[in-house]
């Protein structure tokens, strides 16, 4: 390079990040048990100790089969069946599977075989354990959901099929009033199926964390008046409802359709399970607004309160899918709010949810 050539720009220095510190068994969220080449336990983390109900110090140095006795679902000793130390040396792992502990509790177990050389003897047996109760609960929920959906769909679809078949086969022999009655019934049942499908989609989005909130300026009292007017138009007595608005209310940016859904579900719940006048109270609350829906019925038993917002809870009078309040809770929390249940001043149940002011989507 000549003396008159401009100096070259210095190249940026790319620093290699320091490698993370090595993980310990306590950093792993699952239970971990490690046995050495002589089958003795050398590591048991706290999660594993809690799952096995044995202190770490009591497990160290003992044969892993005594610390972790496992049986398959047919009652066979799992370690005799698999023989990690004396079996085939080409094995490197055991895929996760459900197994039973000595006390009958189910766990999900997987294992890794660490060998000193390919096809060599086993140097370390690393076993990971997870409590299977959450998986079992999820499977029960899915089974309950399928059962509920099948039950709820059977009735309207049977009605739709029956009346449609009758109309097609006997159209000329039916009176106009009969035709109208059948078509109205088909229309109502079709709406019922549509609502059920909408509920299932909401449940799916809430559980997957994919709930979309499309914010716009929402007048909460006006939305409540709209829901009440809809109930009155469908045949409920107007004097059954009361709306109380405590001003000044802040401007709230919420999803109007979802707010309507929340209010409609809470009003339906109060009408179905409560009694007397149903009161909606809207008031300012800590940088947002609070909405309370109260009835004058028996209220909710204290022991039932923790279950109210779970799937399939229906109270004493079992009706509907039992998904409404679960969906309400998901919609409220999707807005960044909270919902609680307690006793109304009149003695019935009070569902109260709060929502923040929010910001428009274009901000």
């Amino acid at each position: 390079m000549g003396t008159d050539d401009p100096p070259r720009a210095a190249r940026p220095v790319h620093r290699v990040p320091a490698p993370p510190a090595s993980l310990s068994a306590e950093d792993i969220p699952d239970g971990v048990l490690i046995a050495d080449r002589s089958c003795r336990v050398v590591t048991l983390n706290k999660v594993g100790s809690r799952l096995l109900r044995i202190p770490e110090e009591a497990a160290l140095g003992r044969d892993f089969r005594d610390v972790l006795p496992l049986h398959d679902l047919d009652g066979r000793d799992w370690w005799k069946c698999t023989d990690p130390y004396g079996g085939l040396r080409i094995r490197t792992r055991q895929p996760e599977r459900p197994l039973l502990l000595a006390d009958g509790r189910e766990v999900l177990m997987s294992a890794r075989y660490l060998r000193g050389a390919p096809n060599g003897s086993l140097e370390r047996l690393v076993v990971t354990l997870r409590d299977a109760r959450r998986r079992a609960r999820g499977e029960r929920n899915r089974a309950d959901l399928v059962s509920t959906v099948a039950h709820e769909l059977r009735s309207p679809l049977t009605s739709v099929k029956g009346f449609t078949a009758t109309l097609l086969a006997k159209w000329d022999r039916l009176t106009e009033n009969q035709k109208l009655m059948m078509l109205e019934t088909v229309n109502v049942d079709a709406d019922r199926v549509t609502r059920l499908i909408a509920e299932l989609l909401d449940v799916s989005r809430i559980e997957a964390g994919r709930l979309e909130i499309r914010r716009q300026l929402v007048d909460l009292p006006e939305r409540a008046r709209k829901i009440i007017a809809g109930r009155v138009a469908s045949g409920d007595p107007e004097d059954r409802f009361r709306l109380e608005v405590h001003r000044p209310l802040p401007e709230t940016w919420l999803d109007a359709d979802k707010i309507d859904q929340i209010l409609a579900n809470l009003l339906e719940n109060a009408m179905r399970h409560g009694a007397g006048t149903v009161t909606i109270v809207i008031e300012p609350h800590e940088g947002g607004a609070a909405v309370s829906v109260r009835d004058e019925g028996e209220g909710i038993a204290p022991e039932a309160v923790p279950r109210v917002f779970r799937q399939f809870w229906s109270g004493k009078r079992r009706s509907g899918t039992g998904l409404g309040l679960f969906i309400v809770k998901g919609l409220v929390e999707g807005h960044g709010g909270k919902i609680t249940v307690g006793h109304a001043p009149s003695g019935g149940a009070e569902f109260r949810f709060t929502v923040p002011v929010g910001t428009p989507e274009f901000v």
Side-chain angles (χ1 to χ4, degrees), residues 136-168:
R137 187 163 55 245
E139 290 179 347
R140 283 197 304 272
N141 286 343
R142 285 191 291 271
D144 289 344
L145 186 59
V146 170
S147 175
T148 299
V149 171
H151 176 75
E152 290 295 321
L153 284 175
R154 184 182 296 114
S155 176
L157 289 179
T158 300
S159 171
V160 168
K161 175 63 178 175
F163 282 128
T164 303
T166 301
L167 288 167
L168 289 172

Side-chain angles (χ1 to χ4, degrees), residues 21 52 82 156 187 190 226 241 258 266 291 295 303 324 334 355:
L52 299 179
T82 56
N187 184 59
K226 173 189 169 185
F241 305 99
K258 290 180 173 56
L266 292 179
V291 181
D295 64 69
E303 62 273 13
V355 287

Side-chain angles (χ1 to χ4, degrees), residues 217-236:
L217 192 59
V218 170
D219 184 337
L220 284 171
E222 185 59 33
R223 307 314 294 189
R225 291 189 190 97
K226 173 189 169 185
I227 299 301
I228 292 174
R231 298 288 312 196
V232 172
S234 66
D236 290 326

Side-chain angles (χ1 to χ4, degrees), residues 39-318:
C39 305
R40 302 295 172 182
V41 176
V42 294
T43 299
L44 179 66
N45 69 355
K46 291 180 181 177
V47 178
S49 175
R50 187 165 61 249
L51 279 174
L52 299 179
R53 298 176 181 174
I54 181 172
E56 179 184 2
E57 57 274 14
L60 296 180
R62 293 175 57 189
D63 190 292
F64 77 95
R65 289 162 291 200
D66 296 331
V67 175
L68 181 57
L70 289 174
H71 293 80
D72 65 15
L73 301 183
D74 294 324
R76 295 172 296 191
D77 187 312
W78 183 248
W79 299 124
K80 286 183 179 179
C81 293
T82 56
D83 192 10
Y85 287 85
L88 292 174
R89 295 193 173 192
I90 60 173
R91 292 183 303 173
T92 59
R93 60 188 292 269
Q94 285 186 28
E96 186 175 77
R97 66 180 62 240
L99 294 170
L100 300 175
L101 296 172
D103 58 6
R105 288 180 295 132
E106 186 177 343
V107 293
L108 299 174
M109 185 280 290
S110 59
R112 182 72 183 273
Y113 299 164
L114 301 180
R115 303 184 184 278
N119 301 332
S121 59
L122 193 60
E123 298 289 331
R124 285 283 192 276
L125 173 66
V126 182
V127 180
T128 60
L129 301 165
R130 291 193 294 129
D131 194 334
R133 285 178 297 180
R134 179 174 295 180
R135 189 197 68 157
R137 187 163 55 245
E139 290 179 347
R140 283 197 304 272
N141 286 343
R142 285 191 291 271
D144 289 344
L145 186 59
V146 170
S147 175
T148 299
V149 171
H151 176 75
E152 290 295 321
L153 284 175
R154 184 182 296 114
S155 176
L157 289 179
T158 300
S159 171
V160 168
K161 175 63 178 175
F163 282 128
T164 303
T166 301
L167 288 167
L168 289 172
K170 302 180 180 181
W171 180 267
D172 294 334
R173 286 176 281 172
L174 297 173
T175 66
E176 292 301 316
N177 287 337
Q178 289 173 325
K179 293 175 183 177
L180 181 61
M181 181 273 293
M182 291 183 184
L183 289 173
E184 287 176 342
T185 304
V186 168
N187 184 59
V188 169
D189 286 333
D191 287 341
R192 181 176 166 188
V193 172
T194 301
R195 284 195 302 271
L196 177 59
I197 293 172
E199 286 185 346
L200 295 175
L201 289 173
D202 286 334
V203 169
S204 173
R205 294 188 186 106
I206 290 169
E207 291 187 332
R210 294 186 289 106
L211 192 66
E212 292 186 8
I213 303 296
R214 303 183 183 276
R215 296 184 183 273
Q216 57 181 293
L217 192 59
V218 170
D219 184 337
L220 284 171
E222 185 59 33
R223 307 314 294 189
R225 291 189 190 97
K226 173 189 169 185
I227 299 301
I228 292 174
R231 298 288 312 196
V232 172
S234 66
D236 290 326
E238 187 173 0
D239 59 1
R240 182 84 192 271
F241 305 99
R242 182 167 66 238
L243 175 63
E244 296 181 10
V245 181
H246 301 172
R247 300 185 184 273
L249 291 171
E251 288 188 345
T252 50
W253 293 83
L254 309 166
D255 189 313
D257 291 337
K258 290 180 173 56
I259 291 299
D260 286 352
Q261 190 175 354
I262 292 168
L263 291 171
N265 270 325
L266 292 179
L267 215 60
E268 172 71 21
N269 183 75
M271 295 289 291
R272 181 177 295 174
H273 300 287
T277 302
V278 177
T279 303
I280 300 178
V281 180
I282 304 175
E283 55 193 339
H285 174 78
E286 297 179 1
V291 181
S292 302
V293 178
R294 304 166 178 169
D295 64 69
E296 298 175 344
E298 298 178 359
I300 298 174
E303 62 273 13
V305 168
R307 303 192 301 272
V308 164
F309 296 108
R310 294 181 185 174
Q311 293 184 30
F312 313 119
W313 183 85
S314 296
K316 294 179 180 178
R317 303 175 189 173
R318 289 199 59 84

